Amino acid sequence: MAPERPPTIAGVLANLRRAPKRVRRQSREVIENAVSQLFDAAVRHPHGLPVAGEYRIDDLARLAGTTTRNVRVYRDRGLLPPPLRVGRIALYNDTHLTRLRLITSMLNRGYNIAHVREMLSAWEEGKNLGDVLGLESAIVGTWATEKPETMSLADAQRLVDDPDAFDRLVKLQVIRLDGGRASITRPKLIDAFNEIRGYGVSMDKLIDLHEQIVPLVDQISELLVRAGAEHVADRIKPGEALPADTEIAELITMMVRFRTQAVASVTATLASSIESTIESVVSRILADYMASTPEAEAN
């Protein structure tokens, strides 16, 4: 007997429409279950793409947030294993997808293809996390930030596709102009804006949110960095002899690693908070949806 296929988003909503009125009156458990099913379905079907464990190159690239050209480059350079060939069709699987997302993430963090190959090789050879992190430190040095993307002014304007929003982003220095060239200082932010506005949210609204969020993020950053700085100040006091070189090196290393760990912890906390808030909002939407749905016919 074939295993039962998980419901799609449309299937979850259809089940809610069919729920008898007596069930909708005691709907808390029904809604909680529906919310769980909706998010499971959304994870399985990002961007509306079918995710069945096998992907053609276009779907693989879109799911990983890259291009088919990049997939071919990574494959040709040995970063991705070859796909399964079915006739003239190349099929990739979840292993390819996971690896491609990792490669894309590492390249976005400033590694080059040779560095990515070294780290993937270290991982595949079974080296422990400390070995891989040590290799990471040797490759990337002390700092890695989002890298700006430079393009022609015309290309940048097409990327934003909204003259008023473009001017606002220039004032916010998210985009910097130099004659006929433009430097996108926050390319991931622009990518996020473009994806979200695909759902009908205006660019002006997204920029408003960005302006509101930045001061709050700066406050969080100040709290975190101050904690690390106070620790250093306790160990290195003005007018007093410096500690041993090994201790200074340890403090500097701590501050450099502090960034990575602070970002990871804040990201996890923010993700958890956002998930809870989204679930609450969707629960309210589903409750209203069920309350306004006419009573289903008895089975």
Side-chain angles (χ1 to χ4, degrees), residues 128-161:
N128 63 36
L129 183 60
D131 293 331
V132 176
L133 289 177
L135 180 58
E136 178 186 20
S137 298
I139 290 172
V140 80
T142 58
W143 218 241
T145 58
E146 187 174 4
K147 297 177 66 175
E149 292 181 4
T150 301
M151 60 188 70
S152 70
L153 175 59
D155 284 344
Q157 290 170 332
R158 279 192 291 270
L159 182 64
V160 175
D161 195 26

Short mmCIF file of all heavy atoms in Angstrom, two decimals, residues 128-161:
data_model
loop_
_atom_site.label_atom_id
_atom_site.label_comp_id
_atom_site.label_asym_id
_atom_site.label_seq_id
_atom_site.Cartn_x
_atom_site.Cartn_y
_atom_site.Cartn_z
N ASN A 128 36.83 16.81 11.83
CA ASN A 128 35.88 17.31 12.81
C ASN A 128 35.60 18.80 12.60
O ASN A 128 36.26 19.47 11.80
CB ASN A 128 36.35 17.03 14.25
CG ASN A 128 37.65 17.76 14.57
OD1 ASN A 128 37.90 18.86 14.12
ND2 ASN A 128 38.49 17.11 15.37
N LEU A 129 34.64 19.31 13.36
CA LEU A 129 34.22 20.71 13.20
C LEU A 129 35.37 21.66 13.46
O LEU A 129 35.52 22.67 12.77
CB LEU A 129 33.06 21.00 14.15
CG LEU A 129 32.45 22.41 14.06
CD1 LEU A 129 31.91 22.67 12.67
CD2 LEU A 129 31.36 22.58 15.11
N GLY A 130 36.21 21.36 14.44
CA GLY A 130 37.34 22.23 14.74
C GLY A 130 38.29 22.34 13.56
O GLY A 130 38.80 23.43 13.27
N ASP A 131 38.52 21.23 12.86
CA ASP A 131 39.38 21.27 11.68
C ASP A 131 38.80 22.15 10.59
O ASP A 131 39.49 22.95 9.96
CB ASP A 131 39.59 19.85 11.12
CG ASP A 131 40.39 18.96 12.06
OD1 ASP A 131 41.22 19.49 12.81
OD2 ASP A 131 40.15 17.74 12.04
N VAL A 132 37.48 22.00 10.38
CA VAL A 132 36.82 22.78 9.33
C VAL A 132 36.82 24.26 9.70
O VAL A 132 37.08 25.13 8.87
CB VAL A 132 35.39 22.27 9.08
CG1 VAL A 132 34.67 23.16 8.07
CG2 VAL A 132 35.41 20.83 8.61
N LEU A 133 36.52 24.59 10.98
CA LEU A 133 36.53 25.99 11.41
C LEU A 133 37.93 26.57 11.35
O LEU A 133 38.11 27.75 11.03
CB LEU A 133 35.97 26.11 12.83
CG LEU A 133 34.46 25.87 12.97
CD1 LEU A 133 34.05 25.94 14.43
CD2 LEU A 133 33.67 26.85 12.15
N GLY A 134 38.93 25.74 11.65
CA GLY A 134 40.30 26.22 11.53
C GLY A 134 40.64 26.55 10.09
O GLY A 134 41.29 27.55 9.81
N LEU A 135 40.18 25.70 9.18
CA LEU A 135 40.40 25.97 7.76
C LEU A 135 39.65 27.23 7.35
O LEU A 135 40.15 28.06 6.60
CB LEU A 135 39.92 24.78 6.93
CG LEU A 135 40.07 24.88 5.41
CD1 LEU A 135 41.52 25.11 5.03
CD2 LEU A 135 39.53 23.62 4.75
N GLU A 136 38.44 27.40 7.89
CA GLU A 136 37.66 28.60 7.59
C GLU A 136 38.40 29.86 8.04
O GLU A 136 38.49 30.84 7.31
CB GLU A 136 36.30 28.54 8.29
CG GLU A 136 35.47 29.80 8.06
CD GLU A 136 34.19 29.79 8.88
OE1 GLU A 136 34.11 29.05 9.86
OE2 GLU A 136 33.27 30.53 8.53
N SER A 137 38.97 29.84 9.25
CA SER A 137 39.69 31.00 9.76
C SER A 137 40.90 31.30 8.89
O SER A 137 41.21 32.47 8.62
CB SER A 137 40.13 30.76 11.21
OG SER A 137 39.01 30.58 12.04
N ALA A 138 41.60 30.26 8.45
CA ALA A 138 42.79 30.47 7.62
C ALA A 138 42.42 31.05 6.26
O ALA A 138 43.14 31.87 5.70
CB ALA A 138 43.52 29.15 7.42
N ILE A 139 41.26 30.63 5.74
CA ILE A 139 40.85 31.09 4.41
C ILE A 139 40.30 32.51 4.45
O ILE A 139 40.70 33.37 3.68
CB ILE A 139 39.77 30.14 3.84
CG1 ILE A 139 40.39 28.80 3.49
CG2 ILE A 139 39.09 30.75 2.63
CD1 ILE A 139 39.37 27.74 3.12
N VAL A 140 39.37 32.76 5.37
CA VAL A 140 38.63 34.01 5.34
C VAL A 140 39.30 35.12 6.13
O VAL A 140 38.94 36.28 6.01
CB VAL A 140 37.18 33.77 5.84
CG1 VAL A 140 37.11 33.73 7.35
CG2 VAL A 140 36.23 34.83 5.30
N GLY A 141 40.28 34.79 6.95
CA GLY A 141 40.92 35.82 7.77
C GLY A 141 40.05 36.15 8.97
O GLY A 141 39.36 35.30 9.50
N THR A 142 40.06 37.40 9.40
CA THR A 142 39.38 37.76 10.63
C THR A 142 37.96 38.25 10.42
O THR A 142 37.22 38.38 11.38
CB THR A 142 40.16 38.88 11.34
OG1 THR A 142 40.28 39.99 10.46
CG2 THR A 142 41.54 38.39 11.74
N TRP A 143 37.60 38.58 9.18
CA TRP A 143 36.30 39.23 9.01
C TRP A 143 35.68 38.82 7.69
O TRP A 143 36.37 38.58 6.71
CB TRP A 143 36.50 40.75 9.03
CG TRP A 143 35.41 41.48 9.73
CD1 TRP A 143 34.56 42.41 9.19
CD2 TRP A 143 35.06 41.39 11.11
NE1 TRP A 143 33.72 42.90 10.16
CE2 TRP A 143 33.99 42.28 11.34
CE3 TRP A 143 35.53 40.62 12.18
CZ2 TRP A 143 33.39 42.44 12.58
CZ3 TRP A 143 34.94 40.77 13.43
CH2 TRP A 143 33.89 41.67 13.61
N ALA A 144 34.39 38.71 7.64
CA ALA A 144 33.67 38.44 6.40
C ALA A 144 32.33 39.14 6.47
O ALA A 144 31.60 38.96 7.43
CB ALA A 144 33.47 36.93 6.21
N THR A 145 32.03 39.96 5.49
CA THR A 145 30.76 40.68 5.47
C THR A 145 30.10 40.48 4.12
O THR A 145 30.68 39.93 3.19
CB THR A 145 30.97 42.19 5.71
OG1 THR A 145 31.85 42.69 4.69
CG2 THR A 145 31.59 42.45 7.06
N GLU A 146 28.87 40.95 4.02
CA GLU A 146 28.17 40.89 2.74
C GLU A 146 28.92 41.73 1.71
O GLU A 146 29.27 42.88 1.97
CB GLU A 146 26.75 41.42 2.93
CG GLU A 146 25.86 41.27 1.72
CD GLU A 146 24.43 41.68 2.00
OE1 GLU A 146 24.16 42.16 3.12
OE2 GLU A 146 23.60 41.54 1.10
N LYS A 147 29.19 41.15 0.56
CA LYS A 147 29.98 41.85 -0.45
C LYS A 147 29.08 42.67 -1.36
O LYS A 147 28.08 42.15 -1.88
CB LYS A 147 30.77 40.84 -1.28
CG LYS A 147 31.79 40.04 -0.48
CD LYS A 147 32.48 39.01 -1.33
CE LYS A 147 33.34 39.67 -2.39
NZ LYS A 147 34.12 38.65 -3.16
N PRO A 148 29.41 43.96 -1.57
CA PRO A 148 28.62 44.78 -2.50
C PRO A 148 28.69 44.22 -3.92
O PRO A 148 29.64 43.53 -4.29
CB PRO A 148 29.29 46.16 -2.42
CG PRO A 148 30.09 46.14 -1.16
CD PRO A 148 30.51 44.71 -0.96
N GLU A 149 27.66 44.53 -4.70
CA GLU A 149 27.63 44.14 -6.10
C GLU A 149 27.59 45.41 -6.94
O GLU A 149 26.75 46.28 -6.72
CB GLU A 149 26.41 43.27 -6.41
CG GLU A 149 26.47 41.90 -5.75
CD GLU A 149 25.26 41.04 -6.08
OE1 GLU A 149 24.41 41.50 -6.90
OE2 GLU A 149 25.14 39.94 -5.53
N THR A 150 28.53 45.52 -7.88
CA THR A 150 28.60 46.71 -8.74
C THR A 150 28.04 46.38 -10.12
O THR A 150 28.30 45.30 -10.67
CB THR A 150 30.06 47.18 -8.86
OG1 THR A 150 30.56 47.48 -7.55
CG2 THR A 150 30.15 48.44 -9.71
N MET A 151 27.27 47.31 -10.64
CA MET A 151 26.64 47.11 -11.95
C MET A 151 26.40 48.48 -12.57
O MET A 151 26.64 49.52 -11.93
CB MET A 151 25.32 46.35 -11.79
CG MET A 151 24.28 47.05 -10.92
SD MET A 151 22.85 46.01 -10.58
CE MET A 151 23.57 44.77 -9.48
N SER A 152 25.92 48.48 -13.78
CA SER A 152 25.60 49.75 -14.42
C SER A 152 24.40 50.38 -13.73
O SER A 152 23.58 49.68 -13.11
CB SER A 152 25.29 49.55 -15.91
OG SER A 152 24.06 48.87 -16.07
N LEU A 153 24.31 51.71 -13.84
CA LEU A 153 23.17 52.41 -13.25
C LEU A 153 21.86 51.90 -13.82
O LEU A 153 20.88 51.68 -13.09
CB LEU A 153 23.31 53.92 -13.51
CG LEU A 153 22.15 54.81 -13.06
CD1 LEU A 153 21.92 54.67 -11.56
CD2 LEU A 153 22.44 56.27 -13.42
N ALA A 154 21.84 51.64 -15.13
CA ALA A 154 20.61 51.14 -15.76
C ALA A 154 20.21 49.78 -15.21
O ALA A 154 19.03 49.52 -14.95
CB ALA A 154 20.81 51.07 -17.28
N ASP A 155 21.19 48.89 -14.99
CA ASP A 155 20.89 47.56 -14.44
C ASP A 155 20.35 47.68 -13.02
O ASP A 155 19.43 46.94 -12.63
CB ASP A 155 22.14 46.68 -14.46
CG ASP A 155 22.46 46.15 -15.84
OD1 ASP A 155 21.57 46.21 -16.72
OD2 ASP A 155 23.60 45.69 -16.06
N ALA A 156 20.93 48.58 -12.23
CA ALA A 156 20.46 48.76 -10.85
C ALA A 156 19.04 49.30 -10.83
O ALA A 156 18.21 48.87 -10.01
CB ALA A 156 21.39 49.71 -10.10
N GLN A 157 18.74 50.22 -11.73
CA GLN A 157 17.38 50.77 -11.80
C GLN A 157 16.39 49.70 -12.23
O GLN A 157 15.26 49.64 -11.71
CB GLN A 157 17.35 51.96 -12.77
CG GLN A 157 18.08 53.18 -12.23
CD GLN A 157 18.27 54.27 -13.27
OE1 GLN A 157 18.35 53.99 -14.47
NE2 GLN A 157 18.35 55.52 -12.81
N ARG A 158 16.80 48.82 -13.15
CA ARG A 158 15.92 47.72 -13.55
C ARG A 158 15.73 46.73 -12.40
O ARG A 158 14.64 46.16 -12.24
CB ARG A 158 16.49 47.00 -14.77
CG ARG A 158 16.20 47.69 -16.09
CD ARG A 158 16.53 46.80 -17.28
NE ARG A 158 17.96 46.60 -17.41
CZ ARG A 158 18.75 47.38 -18.12
NH1 ARG A 158 18.26 48.41 -18.77
NH2 ARG A 158 20.05 47.12 -18.19
N LEU A 159 16.77 46.53 -11.61
CA LEU A 159 16.68 45.59 -10.48
C LEU A 159 15.64 46.06 -9.47
O LEU A 159 14.86 45.25 -8.96
CB LEU A 159 18.05 45.47 -9.80
CG LEU A 159 18.17 44.50 -8.63
CD1 LEU A 159 17.92 43.07 -9.09
CD2 LEU A 159 19.54 44.63 -7.97
N VAL A 160 15.62 47.35 -9.18
CA VAL A 160 14.65 47.90 -8.22
C VAL A 160 13.30 48.11 -8.88
O VAL A 160 12.24 47.87 -8.26
CB VAL A 160 15.19 49.21 -7.62
CG1 VAL A 160 14.16 49.85 -6.70
CG2 VAL A 160 16.49 48.95 -6.86
N ASP A 161 13.32 48.57 -10.16
CA ASP A 161 12.10 48.71 -10.95
C ASP A 161 11.06 49.61 -10.28
O ASP A 161 9.86 49.33 -10.33
CB ASP A 161 11.50 47.32 -11.23
CG ASP A 161 10.46 47.37 -12.35
OD1 ASP A 161 10.55 48.28 -13.19
OD2 ASP A 161 9.55 46.52 -12.35
#
